[in-house]
Amino acid sequence: MTNYFKEANELKDELIKNRRHIHENPELGLELPKTKEYVIDKLKEIGITYKEVGESGILATIEGEKGEGKTILIRSDMDALPMDEESGLEFSSKNKGLAHTCGHDLHAAVGLSTAKIIFNHKKDFKGRVKFMFQPAEEIFAGSKMMIENGVLDGVDVALALHTNLNHESGSISYYEGYMATSCDNFKITIKGQGGHGGYPHTTKDPINAGVMIYQQFNQLISRDADPSKHTTLTFGQFSSGSNSNIIPDFAILQGTMRTYDPEIREKLMKRMEEIVEGVSKATECEINLEYFASVPSLYSDPSLTKEFVRYMEENSDIEMISGERLMASEDMAFVSRKVPTVYFLLNSKIPGNNYSHHNPKVDFSEDAMPIGVGLFATCAINWLNNN
């Protein structure tokens, strides 16, 4: 029986080289020209067939030589974040204001080396493996774009992973069911009628309307959401006015609502609309609620997760940690709504680096990358041959 983890460890230098190149050259959103070019060059070196999807998406396909079979998709996201890096690493970002502080550089490197191993084992499996190298995960746009361009055509199941900082390298975490929260980022614009602070009765105060919305939205968590279910609603902006004695014309609030439960999500979004409508009537202000970034909860299919975990336990001594999920959100959720999906957490904490994802000083253990490659190859090839 092939030990894909042993082969993955033999590719560690290559993994590190690819990761560090991508880390040094971070790019944002749907346009990743240098990252796309680098990934395509590596696929060409291996000899893998690929096609470009949208501006910077890549779909690579490897056909097994044991005969017809099913298709598994492996996703690797590639985009960075709009922030400066303060890690002090010798391979820190060369692009000011951009940084790989979420670990997508590791994801892309793991995807490339997995593709190499699977290509070298074409004769050992039936069916096919597709690799989805995806932009714009951070803005919940890349997965939707690639799905709209047919990336899931003919795909039976999908597999993805993400760096995790709750445990040091050497293990994999997973969850059966809704694993990452939905995310609905919203903006509330309140148009009132300003005036003199000494004559509030002649105005339509947008600050008063904003305070009412703020209070009522926070009561949604304590009174409308099931307390046994994890749900958060957080405001990150409340801006209005310019002086102590001037009632302004406008106020703006921005926030985010997250939950694992689709029914709670639907209920709270409806209640938010009702609150805004009620406050508008009570204050005579014109109020607009808009969602500018939304993604559903990511569902890690329980039966498929069990099957993949069994492959890991039968073919490796990697510790599998159950019951761990994220309060962050992930646009792999759009894939999980279309085909059965399994999502793993690649434990990659560096001892002493006690920073979270999206922190300018965070770093991730490169020792975790061969484990990610072994995980992908083991699960993909075993699933194809057994299904």
Side-chain angles (χ1 to χ4, degrees):
M1 184 176 294
T2 304
N3 186 330
Y4 300 111
F5 289 90
K6 181 176 182 295
E7 293 188 24
N9 279 316
E10 292 170 355
L11 295 178
K12 187 173 181 181
D13 288 345
E14 173 184 292
L15 278 160
I16 291 172
K17 180 181 178 182
N18 288 339
R19 180 261 170 142
R20 293 186 179 186
H21 176 88
I22 295 169
H23 187 95
E24 283 184 323
N25 298 278
E27 297 174 299
L28 293 181
L30 287 165
E31 298 183 6
L32 317 177
K34 291 183 178 178
T35 308
K36 178 183 74 172
E37 181 182 8
Y38 187 82
V39 170
I40 287 175
D41 285 346
K42 295 302 175 183
L43 293 172
K44 287 179 177 177
E45 287 177 13
I46 300 168
I48 297 174
T49 301
Y50 72 91
K51 69 175 182 178
E52 297 183 38
V53 181
E55 181 67 28
S56 292
I58 305 163
L59 179 63
T61 303
I62 302 173
E63 297 282 348
E65 296 177 353
K66 286 183 70 174
E68 282 300 313
K70 294 191 175 183
T71 301
I72 185 170
L73 178 85
I74 294 176
R75 194 287 302 263
S76 296
D77 42 2
M78 307 182 292
D79 57 320
L81 284 156
M83 60 190 297
D84 287 319
E85 181 173 354
E86 300 174 9
S87 65
L89 296 169
E90 62 181 19
F91 52 92
S92 291
S93 171
K94 296 177 180 177
N95 300 338
K96 184 172 178 57
L98 305 178
H100 270 292
T101 54
C102 202
H104 295 183
D105 50 331
L106 282 79
H107 301 173
V110 165
L112 283 170
S113 290
T114 303
K116 186 173 187 176
I117 286 179
I118 289 179
F119 183 81
N120 290 337
H121 285 276
K122 289 187 296 181
K123 67 181 188 304
D124 297 329
F125 67 90
K126 58 185 178 180
R128 67 199 50 79
V129 184
K130 292 188 175 183
F131 288 85
M132 176 183 175
F133 290 95
Q134 179 205 312
E137 190 283 323
E138 295 291 354
I139 58 172
F140 307 145
S143 178
K144 286 195 292 185
M145 178 277 291
M146 295 189 75
I147 291 171
E148 289 168 359
N149 280 278
V151 74
L152 294 182
D153 292 351
V155 170
D156 296 292
V157 300
L159 175 60
L161 58 73
H162 200 292
T163 54
N164 184 41
L165 296 174
N166 291 336
H167 309 279
E168 295 177 14
S169 173
S171 60
I172 298 285
S173 296
Y174 67 95
Y175 188 87
E176 298 169 16
Y178 287 107
M179 181 169 183
T181 61
S182 61
C183 176
D184 294 289
N185 292 338
F186 58 86
K187 180 179 181 180
I188 301 169
T189 304
I190 306 171
K191 181 182 179 182
Q193 178 179 308
H196 195 291
Y199 301 89
H201 59 290
T202 67
T203 71
K204 298 173 183 177
D205 187 353
I207 295 179
N208 179 50
V211 169
M212 292 172 68
I213 290 171
Y214 182 94
Q215 292 174 330
Q216 291 298 311
F217 272 31
N218 278 306
Q219 287 187 30
L220 290 173
I221 303 302
S222 63
R223 291 294 177 267
D224 286 75
D226 184 338
S228 69
K229 307 287 179 67
H230 292 82
T231 309
T232 63
L233 195 156
T234 303
F235 282 93
Q237 181 191 21
F238 190 154
S239 60
S240 185
S242 60
N243 199 287
S244 61
N245 70 337
I246 301 173
I247 293 174
D249 286 324
F250 289 93
I252 294 175
L253 294 84
Q254 292 195 79
T256 183
M257 190 262 288
R258 297 169 186 256
T259 181
Y260 294 109
D261 192 304
E263 292 183 4
I264 290 179
R265 181 192 187 207
E266 183 178 351
K267 177 183 179 182
L268 293 193
M269 291 178 77
K270 180 181 179 182
R271 292 287 290 124
M272 289 162 72
E273 296 279 359
E274 292 171 349
I275 289 169
V276 165
E277 182 179 347
V279 172
S280 179
K281 290 179 179 179
T283 62
E284 298 183 290
C285 290
E286 181 182 324
I287 306 175
N288 179 56
L289 167 63
E290 60 178 316
Y291 296 94
F292 58 88
S294 291
V295 65
S297 178
L298 187 154
Y299 190 70
S300 194
D301 184 87
S303 62
L304 190 59
T305 300
K306 286 185 176 74
E307 183 176 354
F308 283 178
V309 169
R310 187 177 78 248
Y311 295 148
M312 288 292 292
E313 292 173 342
E314 291 172 351
N315 294 280
S316 80
D317 57 0
I318 301 298
E319 180 184 6
M320 303 299 292
I321 302 173
S322 65
E324 188 164 352
R325 54 185 179 172
L326 307 171
M327 279 304 290
S329 303
E330 159 66 84
D331 85 343
M332 188 69 183
F334 293 113
V335 174
S336 77
R337 283 194 157 194
K338 301 288 186 180
V339 299
T341 297
V342 176
Y343 193 82
F344 286 109
L345 298 177
L346 180 63
N347 295 322
S348 46
K349 179 179 175 59
I350 295 175
N353 188 278
N354 298 315
Y355 301 102
S356 69
H357 290 83
H358 296 206
N359 185 285
K361 296 181 180 180
V362 73
D363 189 20
F364 306 90
S365 173
E366 292 175 331
D367 292 338
M369 291 192 292
I371 296 174
V373 174
L375 167 76
F376 276 166
T378 297
C379 291
I381 292 176
N382 277 278
W383 185 84
L384 288 170
N385 286 334
N386 289 323
N387 289 274

